[in-house]
Amino acid sequence: QTTSSETVVVTADRMLDVQSGRLLDQPVVVITDGRIASVATGNARPLIPAGATRIDLPGKTIVPGLIDMHVHLTSNPKYGGYTGLQFTDSFWVAQAAGNAARTLRAGFTTVRNVGSDNYADVGLKQAIEEGWIDGPRIVPAAYALGATGGHCDETFLPPSFQRVSPAMGDSPEELKKRVREQRKYGAEVIKVCATGGVFSRNTEPGIQQLHEEELKAVADEAHFWKLKTAAHAHGAEGIKAAIRAGIDTIEHVSFIDDEGIRLARERGTWLGFDVYNTEYTLAEGKANGVLPENIEKERRVGTLQRENFGRAAKAGARMIFSTDAGIYPHGDNARQFAVMVRFGMTPLDAIRTATWNAAQALGREADVGSIAVGRFGDLVAVDGDPTRDVTLLERPAAVVKGGHLVAGG
Ligand code: ARG
């Protein structure tokens, strides 16, 4: 048995350095055993080991593999409302394998899965790492924590069905235990629902559902175990309570007020506005079986969320790319870039939310989010300059994960 290392050389016309925002000419990226060993640009020509595999992408621009900080790989928008009950539980894991493959081919080489039943995201991650199925690198949250009867509980069934999420807690002590349980079974980030939401029954997006001391217990306990935290929060009070509690990323952020934006900037809290999915839900939700009350909530949330995204971007809040894929079809993640640009962000800043910013918010700058020595060899190639036309990211010409061509090329 020989243990030979595998070297891959990627060449392209241009490379986007997301930190400086500069386009560099003639990149040569050498990837050894999945990690970037060297990056040369311009006239610098690196030594290419004999026998290296070549991935030549003439005419293309390469950017770091994209990161979506808010997906649900087990969810499928096709089965809205009660229509999902026709399937057995393992159906959701089986179809999630297809969703994972689609996500990867779309250029998203890393995703954070912020909530799934049955620890399915942990199993998906393991199956991808073992090479049985194709998919992105996954940072799993397993079950989302929350209040009994809140957005992250089971809210669609009558009491005789006795459906209760195992991650509900109704005091700081209970929620601490829920953090430990999720970590025990594979969670690498802790997700908590701080307010009501759109796609649950008998909850209001604008209304807070956990007390600040409960949110603080979740944040403190997760941090104690060296885990990051993410809060689902639409309403202004819930958003501010989650920021003050020390939650690392606030998701949805729909009704954030000026004080919330100021607090987030002061604390360095990351904000993730899922501004694409409104289009999909309003166009397809009814046909997919989404209940009228949920579509009505989407109407109330969508417009304000986009305006507030623009305000927060202008104010200089720290932003991550969070799309809530699963509400719209997996693989369409990059469509959110154009909406972010439409509502006030530059293309470069939008690309940063899904690369360098996301890596920082994950605490994984050493692994993902930039094309630099030591990082995973995760790259996306596009046909022109994405800092001029961000929609190019919707049609990647090639996707490389860990030095392997997984799409196009
Ligand atoms: N999971 C979120 C919820 O149910 C999705 C919100 C989607 N709508 C939006 N405008 N971002 O609350």
Side-chain angles (χ1 to χ4, degrees):
Q1 159 131 28
T2 52
T3 48
S4 62
S5 65
E6 181 200 34
T7 298
V8 177
V9 181
V10 182
T11 65
D13 254 28
R14 285 183 299 185
M15 170 178 111
L16 177 63
D17 174 26
V18 286
Q19 278 139 300
S20 69
R22 292 194 324 157
L23 281 168
L24 306 170
D25 287 330
Q26 303 302 319
V28 180
V29 182
V30 177
I31 302 165
T32 302
D33 294 335
R35 296 258 184 184
I36 298 176
S38 70
V39 183
T41 57
N43 295 325
R45 289 286 87 15
L47 217 65
I48 294 175
T53 307
R54 293 192 68 106
I55 301 177
D56 292 312
L57 304 165
K60 312 292 184 223
T61 303
I62 52 173
V63 304
L66 302 170
I67 305 168
D68 192 333
M69 295 289 279
H70 191 131
V71 305
H72 299 277
L73 288 171
T74 48
S75 299
N76 192 318
K78 204 165 177 295
Y79 312 110
Y82 289 98
T83 66
L85 294 175
Q86 66 190 299
F87 301 111
T88 193
D89 298 288
S90 53
F91 168 81
W92 300 101
V93 194
Q95 58 89 45
N99 297 337
R102 249 171 239 123
T103 302
L104 177 62
R105 287 198 296 266
F108 287 80
T109 50
T110 301
V111 298
R112 193 170 67 163
N113 202 81
V114 282
S116 69
D117 290 343
N118 304 315
Y119 302 92
D121 52 358
V122 179
L124 270 178
K125 176 193 170 87
Q126 292 173 343
I128 291 166
E129 284 180 357
E130 289 293 305
W132 299 111
I133 58 172
D134 287 337
R137 305 179 194 284
I138 297 177
V139 179
Y143 282 93
L145 278 57
T148 293
H151 177 71
C152 285
D153 199 357
E154 290 289 349
T155 59
F156 277 80
L157 295 172
S160 56
F161 282 74
Q162 299 185 339
R163 275 268 282 187
V164 174
S165 163
M168 298 301 105
D170 296 302
S171 68
E173 290 312 303
E174 279 183 14
L175 285 157
K176 278 189 182 176
K177 185 149 188 188
R178 299 290 100 86
V179 170
R180 294 179 180 189
E181 287 165 352
Q182 293 311 306
R183 195 206 64 86
K184 174 179 178 181
Y185 292 116
E188 293 173 22
V189 56
I190 298 296
K191 161 86 176 288
V192 61
C193 281
T195 72
V198 173
F199 294 98
S200 50
R201 295 201 75 183
N202 193 22
T203 83
E204 263 304 317
I207 294 179
Q208 192 172 337
Q209 293 187 331
L210 284 175
H211 298 282
E212 190 171 320
E213 56 172 352
E214 292 174 314
L215 292 165
K216 190 167 183 316
V218 171
D220 289 350
E221 192 61 25
H223 293 156
F224 177 75
W225 290 90
K226 304 286 178 254
L227 299 178
K228 303 271 186 200
T229 49
H232 156 111
H234 290 282
E237 296 312 314
I239 291 168
K240 288 185 281 192
I243 296 171
R244 285 192 299 258
I247 300 285
D248 302 289
T249 71
I250 312 294
E251 315 285 316
H252 309 302
V253 226
S254 311
F255 306 140
I256 192 168
D257 58 16
D258 288 335
E259 193 194 355
I261 293 174
R262 186 177 57 71
L263 272 176
R265 291 194 57 211
E266 264 171 38
R267 311 259 330 210
T269 310
W270 298 96
L271 306 180
F273 293 78
D274 51 328
V275 287
Y276 166 68
N277 59 49
T278 293
E279 246 104 10
Y280 180 85
T281 299
L282 295 184
E284 309 291 337
K286 189 161 183 247
N288 289 341
V290 176
L291 303 184
E293 67 186 68
N294 300 113
I295 293 179
E296 192 270 322
K297 284 200 267 185
E298 181 55 56
R299 275 207 185 85
R300 279 192 278 129
V301 167
T303 312
L304 276 171
Q305 184 187 36
R306 290 165 171 214
E307 286 170 13
N308 288 332
F309 164 76
R311 279 176 50 240
K314 204 168 288 160
R318 301 219 287 176
M319 299 273 202
I320 50 170
F321 190 83
S322 287
T323 70
D324 218 347
I327 285 183
Y328 68 87
H330 294 278
D332 289 349
N333 312 54
R335 292 189 186 184
Q336 182 167 292
F337 288 115
V339 184
M340 294 167 91
V341 170
R342 175 145 56 95
F343 286 88
M345 207 177 239
T346 65
L348 175 62
D349 280 342
I351 294 168
R352 282 180 172 141
T353 67
T355 52
W356 182 235
N357 292 9
Q360 290 176 76
L362 289 172
R364 295 276 302 273
E365 303 95 311
D367 291 332
V368 294
S370 61
I371 303 174
V373 172
R375 279 59 176 181
F376 288 121
D378 297 350
L379 313 165
V380 177
V382 294
D383 264 313
D385 178 357
T387 64
R388 281 166 192 264
D389 178 5
V390 84
T391 68
L392 291 169
L393 294 166
E394 296 172 17
R395 303 171 292 279
V399 180
V400 174
K401 180 192 171 200
H404 292 273
L405 192 63
V406 293

